Amino acid sequence: MTATSTIILIAETLTAQLNAERIQAMQVAQELTKKFVELGFKVVPQALWAIGILLITRFAIDVAGRVTRRTLSRTEATLRKFLVQAAEIVILIVGVVAALNQLGIQTTSVVAVVGAAGLAIGLAWQNTLSHFAAGVMLISLRPFEVGDAIEAADVKGVVDSIGIFSTTVVTDDRIKIIVPNNQLFNGTLKNTTAMGTRRVDLKIDIGDRPIRPTMAELLEIAHSHPLVLENPPPTCLVAEITPDTTILSLRPWCASVAYEQVRSQVQEHVKEAMNANKNQAQ
């Protein structure tokens, strides 16, 4: 075999191999194109459906927010805001899970992971969640409202605001105190303005003065005060008698918001009247 024949044979062999590889590559490319097309026809509709579900979810959140606000228009503002947010979050979670399911993602494992994370967060925020639950109960049951004077958790003052986690109380000397809701809900709470009126209990030491005339004088002082109510009327009773003195209990009624003022001024008037009588006796 001549050299020329050998070269021609090698060239034909290489050409055949190249043609075979090219044909194989074209077949692979065709298969990949076919797979991509099939995947596109499968994935694109799923993606479009998922996007549609998310758009519907967004629309549903807006509608649910408006309906909830309108339905709960007479509900306390803090509770209404919480319920609206809760409804929106529930709808969002349902929509996201439905979109993932449409994409073919197994939502069971996602829900399990979210549940485990929620449990861990719940354990870490146990005290915070208890304050949150107490705040919802306080807003729902309304043992006090903004503007009420309360005594609870070693705090005495006027309620400035009621939040989900804490309540703000302003004391008589204008100090703002933040009280965790759990302490207010689980402890003893005294609302001194809830009834609208309040009785002022005063102990008056009259010494050896005659009882009945002094009682009449004290009642006259109470009646003369402009903030003392006529109904219920003031009363005056004998609280204690000892060998050395007699103590009377003067009980005028007033509006709850005027309690401190009435208590101070009636005591002042009683003291002035008793001092005047004492000077006249001397």
Side-chain angles (χ1 to χ4, degrees):
M1 182 179 293
T2 63
T4 303
S5 300
T6 302
I7 293 172
I8 293 172
L9 180 61
I10 293 173
E12 290 177 349
T13 303
L14 291 174
T15 302
Q17 290 179 352
L18 289 174
N19 289 334
E21 291 177 357
R22 184 174 61 181
I23 293 171
Q24 185 178 6
M26 291 178 62
Q27 291 176 347
V28 171
Q30 290 177 353
E31 289 294 329
L32 288 175
T33 303
K34 183 179 179 181
K35 293 292 184 182
F36 278 120
V37 171
E38 292 178 352
L39 183 62
F41 279 110
K42 181 180 180 180
V43 171
V44 170
Q46 291 179 341
L48 292 176
W49 274 109
I51 294 173
I53 290 174
L54 292 177
L55 293 176
I56 294 173
T57 301
R58 185 70 183 87
F59 176 74
I61 289 175
D62 292 338
V63 173
R66 290 196 297 268
V67 171
T68 306
R69 291 186 185 93
R70 188 179 303 112
T71 305
L72 302 175
S73 59
R74 297 184 179 181
T75 308
E76 201 276 334
T78 305
L79 179 60
R80 181 173 64 251
K81 182 178 179 181
F82 164 73
L83 293 176
V84 170
Q85 291 178 345
E88 292 176 347
I89 290 173
V90 170
I91 295 175
L92 177 61
I93 292 174
V94 172
V96 171
V97 171
L100 293 176
N101 189 49
Q102 184 62 38
L103 291 174
I105 300 175
Q106 295 296 326
T107 56
T108 305
S109 58
V110 176
V111 172
V113 172
V114 173
L119 178 61
I121 294 173
L123 292 175
W125 289 0
Q126 184 175 3
N127 291 334
T128 302
L129 292 177
S130 67
H131 296 320
F132 169 78
V136 172
M137 296 303 294
L138 288 175
I139 295 172
S140 303
L141 299 178
R142 296 175 178 270
F144 56 83
E145 298 181 357
V146 174
D148 285 350
I150 64 171
E151 297 179 22
D154 297 328
V155 174
K156 179 180 179 182
V158 177
V159 178
D160 182 66
S161 64
I162 305 172
I164 289 295
F165 298 102
S166 62
T167 296
T168 303
V169 178
V170 178
T171 62
D172 294 337
D173 53 349
R174 303 299 296 171
I175 297 176
K176 181 179 288 188
I177 301 177
I178 309 300
V179 185
N181 285 332
N182 194 31
Q183 296 183 16
L184 296 176
F185 184 71
N186 291 330
T188 301
L189 187 146
K190 183 188 294 185
N191 189 333
T192 58
T193 57
M195 303 306 295
T197 59
R198 191 173 176 186
R199 191 181 70 187
V200 181
D201 292 348
L202 302 175
K203 300 294 184 180
I204 311 296
D205 187 347
I206 65 172
D208 58 353
R209 296 171 183 269
I211 295 177
R212 289 187 179 276
T214 305
M215 293 174 64
E217 184 179 3
L218 293 178
L219 288 173
E220 183 179 353
I221 293 173
H223 279 292
S224 64
H225 195 285
L227 296 180
V228 172
L229 301 177
E230 294 296 330
N231 188 25
T235 59
C236 189
L237 306 172
V238 177
E240 184 179 354
I241 296 178
T242 67
D244 301 322
T245 188
T246 300
I247 298 177
L248 301 181
S249 178
L250 179 61
R251 299 176 177 178
W253 289 81
C254 65
S256 300
V257 294
Y259 176 82
E260 295 294 342
Q261 180 180 355
V262 171
R263 179 180 176 84
S264 174
Q265 292 178 352
V266 170
Q267 288 187 103
E268 178 184 352
H269 296 165
V270 168
K271 180 64 175 177
E272 291 174 351
M274 295 185 68
N275 287 341
N277 292 337
K278 183 177 180 180
N279 293 333
Q280 291 178 359
Q282 292 177 350

